[in-house]
Amino acid sequence: MLRNVFLACLALVIAVGGGTLSAWYAVNRFDGFGALTVGQWTGHPEAGTPLSDPYAKARAAREGAFPLGSAEGLAFYAYSDEQGRALDRRCSYTIKGNSPNSRFWTLYAADRSLIPLTPGMNRLPALHSRQIFRQGDGQFVVLVSPKAQPGNWLATAGAGRMVLVLTLYDTPVGSNSGLVDMTFPAIMRTGCDG
């Protein structure tokens, strides 16, 4: 009899514990289904639409996020550089290439909770497509660093990991039919202070 009670309690602990851990993983670590990944950049075209999966909806509700509709814009996130190393606020990076087809885009650095970093000292916390300098072939170079850089500089501050957020407005990328140029800029680490 005592053995049956022990087995029932063990099964209950495994069921409740496993269910709690899987729900925590789905809401905190799982990015959801339908991710669109190009290079280091990952976006979720169905976020904010009725087609969004329940895990993405739960995560957005928990974070208080208000995703843009598919016709309005699409956010892409980069958590690592070309070598697969996590992005660090103390390091310097070069973002180089062409931007995907869009009418307008913004780029900013955020912490792992996607809260924008505040670089302080009257530094711009974000860049947008109409303020950057471009090369003769239309490509751009953005330098992401805690130290002042010439040209297109996106300032960072503090220590720890970060995420780069590239938001495309009025873009056909989310409804890609194979006819849209899916080029995203590359992220290369150029140095580290820590």
Side-chain angles (χ1 to χ4, degrees):
M1 166 107 173
L2 191 56
R3 180 177 178 222
N4 290 339
V5 171
F6 174 73
L7 290 176
C9 288
L10 180 64
L12 186 64
V13 167
I14 290 172
V16 171
T20 302
L21 286 175
S22 67
W24 176 87
Y25 176 79
V27 174
N28 291 300
R29 298 284 183 230
F30 181 61
D31 286 332
F33 298 102
L36 175 62
T37 301
V38 182
Q40 296 91 28
W41 303 92
T42 302
H44 300 279
E46 293 179 352
T49 70
L51 301 174
S52 181
D53 66 88
Y55 300 110
K57 289 178 182 178
R59 187 172 187 174
R62 184 184 58 79
E63 293 175 351
F66 188 69
L68 297 170
S70 60
E72 297 165 344
L74 180 58
F76 282 85
Y77 308 96
Y79 296 90
S80 60
D81 64 9
E82 273 191 340
Q83 304 299 318
R85 297 173 292 202
L87 299 178
D88 192 310
R89 297 183 209 184
R90 296 169 297 183
C91 297
S92 297
Y93 299 92
T94 298
I95 302 174
K96 182 178 181 180
N98 289 315
S99 57
N101 293 336
S102 64
R103 185 178 306 271
F104 184 78
W105 56 260
T106 59
L107 174 68
Y108 68 91
D111 64 12
R112 296 294 279 195
S113 300
L114 300 179
I115 298 171
L117 301 180
T118 52
M121 293 194 288
N122 298 324
R123 297 176 180 167
L124 293 176
L127 297 175
H128 61 78
S129 57
R130 295 190 181 150
Q131 77 181 132
I132 64 166
F133 301 110
R134 292 185 181 268
Q135 298 173 344
D137 60 358
Q139 291 191 354
F140 63 87
V141 176
V142 173
L143 303 171
V144 180
S145 177
K147 296 178 182 177
Q149 303 291 322
N152 302 315
W153 173 43
L154 180 61
T156 58
R161 292 184 176 181
M162 70 175 174
V163 179
L164 292 172
V165 182
L166 177 66
T167 306
L168 309 175
Y169 298 94
D170 194 13
T171 180
V173 170
S175 60
N176 188 15
S177 61
L179 302 174
V180 177
D181 184 18
M182 294 289 288
T183 59
F184 276 72
I187 304 168
M188 297 159 282
R189 183 188 286 188
T190 56
C192 237
D193 289 339

